[in-house]
Amino acid sequence: MAGRHSKRGKGHKVETPDLELMPMLNVFISIIPMLLLSAAFVQLAVIDTGLPASAATVVPAESKPGAPPPVTIHIRATDYLVESGDAPARSIPRSSVAGAAGDPGRLPLEAMLRSIAAQGEKKPEVRIVPAVRTRYEEIISVMDLARGAGLPDAVLADAEAGAV
Amino acid sequence: MARNVSRRHRARAGLKASTSVNLISMMDILTVLLLFLLKSYSAGGEVMVPQPGVKLPESTAESMPQTSLVISIDGDAIRLGAEKVASVADVAASGDAGIPSLAERLPAAAPAEGAPEGAKATAVTIQGDRNIEYALLRKVMFTLSQSGYDNVSLAVLRKA
C-alpha cells in the first residue's frame, strides 16, 4: 500500500497522496494477455468474384443497355493478350518466371488499362482468362492492376467454351 | 551518496522509508498496449485467420471478409474448414471437371458460425496458396457452382 508521504516543513504537514494503481494494474494484466492471444495481426481482405464462365458463352456486353464492351485479358505463358471492343487484340510480353512482382509486363498492361478506363465515363467489366497453369498469385496481380487502373469490376472467365 | 543524505533526512524527520514501487511508467506502457490492441479490434468485419500452410497472395483489395464457409487450398490438400476433403495431387491427376469428395461434403457443411440465416448461406471464401494453379482453382469453383455456392470471395493479404 502506497502510503502517504508527508513532509515536515515550517511547522505544518504537507501530504502527497499516491494513486492506488494496483487494482487497475491487475485489470490490465488480465486483459492484455487475453487480447494478445485473440488478436489477428494479419489483415485479410477479400475480392468478390463471380464463378468463371466461358468467355465464349458469356452474354455479350453489347446487349446490356449502355454498358461499354468488356475488356478481356488472357494471361498466357509469355504474354498478356488484351481484347477491348472492336479494337484489334494487343499482346504485351510478360514473364511468368519472375513472379507477379517482377513481371515486366505489369507496367505496360496497367498503362493500357488506364487508357481504356479513361475512354468513357462508364467503366467496362474486365474478364480475366487465365491459362490452366497460371498461378493464383498472377491472377490476383492482374485483378489488382485492373482495380488500380480504375476498372474495379474484374471477373474470372474461362477460355474453353462450356468448361464451367 | 544522495540516497544516504535522503535517508538521513528522513530519519531526522522521523519518517519511515517509502517501500512502494513506482508503477506509473508500467501503467503508461500497459495503457498504450491496451489502446493498440483495442484499436486492432475496432477495425470491424469478420476476423479471419489464414489456414496454416497457406501463403495467401498480397493484394490492394480492401473489402473486409464476411462470415462464410471457408475452403483452403495449399500445396497438399483441399480443406473444408479444418477438414481435409481431397489431396491436391489426386485432384490434379483426375480428369473430372469438379471434385466429387468436396461436392459430397458441401451439403452437410455446417454454416459458418455467426452466419445470418438465408442471405449468406451460399457465401464461400477461398483461401488459396499463392502458388496453386488456376486449373485447381477452377475445379474448386466448378464444384461450388454445382453445389449452389454462387457468392465466392478470394481471400488475400492486404498490402500495407
Side-chain angles (χ1 to χ4, degrees), chain A residues 27-41 43, chain B residues 29-44 47:
Chain A
V27 171
F28 276 21
I29 287 174
S30 308
I31 288 177
I32 287 174
M34 191 188 74
L35 290 175
L36 278 173
L37 286 176
S38 57
F41 294 105
Q43 292 284 322
Chain B
I29 293 169
L30 292 179
T31 306
V32 169
L33 192 56
L34 186 66
L35 289 176
F36 168 77
L37 288 170
L38 287 175
K39 187 182 172 295
S40 73
Y41 273 86
S42 68
V47 176

Side-chain angles (χ1 to χ4, degrees), chain A residues 2 8 63 69 101 114 122 126 135 138 146 148 162:
Chain A
R8 201 183 294 260
S63 63
R114 279 189 193 282
K122 289 188 177 175
V126 176
R135 290 184 298 127
E138 295 168 318

Side-chain angles (χ1 to χ4, degrees), chain B residues 76-79 83-88 90-91 99 101-102 105:
Chain B
D76 299 325
I78 298 168
R79 291 185 173 81
E83 180 195 8
K84 179 178 175 179
V85 292
S87 154
V88 166
D90 293 345
V91 171
I99 304 169
S101 55
L102 177 60
R105 284 178 173 83

Side-chain angles (χ1 to χ4, degrees), chain B residues 43-101:
Chain B
E46 167 78 359
V47 176
M48 187 179 282
V49 180
Q51 294 289 324
V54 176
K55 288 181 185 170
L56 296 173
E58 290 189 345
S59 169
T60 54
E62 292 181 347
S63 301
M64 299 298 291
Q66 301 297 320
T67 307
S68 65
L69 200 64
V70 174
I71 293 179
S72 61
I73 313 167
D74 59 21
D76 299 325
I78 298 168
R79 291 185 173 81
L80 181 59
E83 180 195 8
K84 179 178 175 179
V85 292
S87 154
V88 166
D90 293 345
V91 171
S94 86
D96 294 337
I99 304 169
S101 55

Side-chain angles (χ1 to χ4, degrees), chain A residues 1 5 11 25 37 46 61 70 75 80 83 99 111 117 125 129 132 137 142 144 154 156:
Chain A
M1 170 87 189
H5 187 81
L25 195 64
L37 286 176
V46 293
I75 308 176
Y80 297 109
E83 298 170 344
E125 181 185 74
V129 186
V132 288
E137 181 184 36
V142 172
D144 279 358
L156 288 173

